[in-house]
Amino acid sequence: MGKNIAQKIIAAHKVGGEMTPGAAVALKIDQTLTQDATGTMAYLQFEAMGLERVKTERSVSYVDHNMLQAGFENADDHRYLQSVAAKYGVYFSRPGNGICHQVHLERFGVPGKTLLGSDSHTPTNGGIGMLAMGAGGLDVAVAMGGGPFHITMPKILKVHLEGKLQPWVTGKDIILEVLRRLSVKGGVGKIIEYGGPGVATLTVPERATVTNMGAELGATTSIFPSDDKTREYMKLQKREKDWVELKADPDATYDEEIIIDLNTLEPLIAMPHSPDNVVKVREVAGTKVDQVCVGSCTNSSLYDLTVTAAILKGKSVNPGLSMTVTPGSKQVFAAISASGALTDIILSGARIIESACGPCIGMGQAPSSGAVSVRSFNRNFIGRSGTKDAKVYLASPETCAACAITGVITDPRDLGAMPKVVLPTEIKIDDAGILPPAKDPAKVEIIRGPNIQPLPQQKPLGATVFGDILLKTGDNITTDHIMPAGAQILPLRSNIPAISKFVFYRMDPNFADNALAKGGGIVVGGENYGQGSSREHAALAPMYLGVKAVISKSFARIHRDNLINFGILPLTFKNPDDLDKIDANQRLVLENVIDHLKAGKDLTVKNETTGKTFEVTYNFTPRQKEILFAGGLLNYTKAGSK
Ligand code: MIC
Ligand code: SF4
């Protein structure tokens, strides 16, 4: 039987398990990437494993998130990351070289290979036909050490693209349409594979926008074929030798399929506060805008910035708003400088920010109180921008630029004919921002500042799990709710005792104090608990505070894995209505946990406050059970298991 692209790559990398949807499968990882906000922990964990060199074909450490350097913390992290990379055989992309996913696409991604990254937008490289997945830092550390990555074999959903995008309609509008149809939990347990005649009409940067924001569907990853367009892109990067063709067999089958007609697609926009809250731009046109931001790993390619410049050329940013532009990489920055596009952006009055995540993760450019901010980014969760009552909308760079000129939400088609966008046929390739690992690792000394605190340890799982309900949450709680980021908190990513003070901070400012005073406890929630970022701090910091279990209606994949990796039990209600029958501060007890898990039996939870009981279930693989018994993946790996 013919195979689709995802099945081909999985079959070629399978080192254990079964390829039937729902079964456990272990994959060999060819490449890894880390970024600084998750990377310091990943490398501390790698160090704790006691290996001498990474065992992957290519591992790259990027610095792109923590760039404000308002104190010594960020710079200390950068120095640690640079030294640890040199010692252990990792390429180091220096601060200023660009956003991890954009730079990886440009310089390292290879069609048909596997990539594991400690960032949820790692699927960006699916735009060139990689099987690129996000994971917690600890999973990436294990992969750097040569261990496989364990997933539940996803279903493959085909998005069949027909026709051709009309002027002013973009890759961003394709993924917003997919989000509109499937929702932020529609991709859970699935790989989204793009196919059909429409694929050939899309460039690699357009495809990468689509696969990047597939993370917002909760999907394991998203992938495009590797075809002539991919070859063209790799040729521009002077990496044509890395190109291989990759396509689904003519008789390939899929578990599900949806069809999108590109001809009829219109400019779309995600409204506050969820990436799937999508409507046509026309439906909200006229809304006053206070801020516009173009950039982020979703939309900061050479094309994105060139088209933004072409729209702004000869015009001024509306006096009622502030506009920022962030090039995705040094390569893009240099190319818009050489082509003159940068001059058009500067003259328009837009503010240029260095190549980094910046406002996307709330590192600067927090909007004013109650502001409407239209961004070409991928997430608009409440408070993520740094301003709790800001209203963040997500749209294409074209829509953003149109809003920047008019001062109100504007369908770019109302600007008239598309400006002519001419991209250079050749760009300067300069890898001076990427430092290869040291030739003589023994001589490299790892530099740790006071912000780099040792990893907290977790004890093996006890037979009885008990504690008060510390917090009861609703559906779609994001890791931004659990462990917020932003300029105040992000610098503490290497210091778990310090960062843990901010767990659930925006939902309950007393959460951390309360948890510590009670000696830990249990968190309960609704559907899709832990969606969004891959940050393992959303498990590690609660672990430090003594959180022993999370009971919810369902979990997002990466966060569930992170909870297991740090020895916190992710359990689901057998009867979802039981959530309504429990409340914060009630005391829960689960007995004989280890025996029940070993026997595969559901667990009974006794609510000591009400005297009632309810059942919870789980779907752990034998390996996940062993990890939980050991008190997390690090203990499990140190004991010699993979
Ligand atoms: C994000 O977009 O939320 C981040 C910041 O890139 C995270 C990683 C992190 O929290 O460090 C992600 O997407 O995984
Ligand atoms: Fe950085 Fe934003 Fe992309 Fe996350 S989504 S990697 S914060 S640019």
Side-chain angles (χ1 to χ4, degrees), residues 555-596:
F555 288 92
R557 172 186 67 91
I558 303 179
H559 185 59
R560 180 177 176 275
D561 288 351
N562 284 335
L563 289 172
I564 296 171
N565 285 351
F566 291 99
I568 300 178
L569 285 167
L571 302 168
T572 46
F573 292 100
K574 215 155 168 213
N575 174 3
D577 295 340
D578 283 334
L579 177 63
D580 301 334
K581 299 180 192 143
I582 55 177
D583 249 315
N585 296 320
Q586 294 176 341
R587 189 171 179 79
L588 304 182
V589 183
L590 294 86
E591 274 167 358
N592 297 325
V593 175
I594 296 180
D595 290 346
H596 277 72

Side-chain angles (χ1 to χ4, degrees), residues 35 37-38 65 119-121 361 379 384 493 533-535:
Q35 38 88 342
T38 54
H65 281 63
D119 191 281
S120 61
H121 291 102
I361 189 60
R379 288 185 175 148
R384 181 176 163 102
R493 284 286 180 97
S533 150
S534 68
R535 60 190 72 152

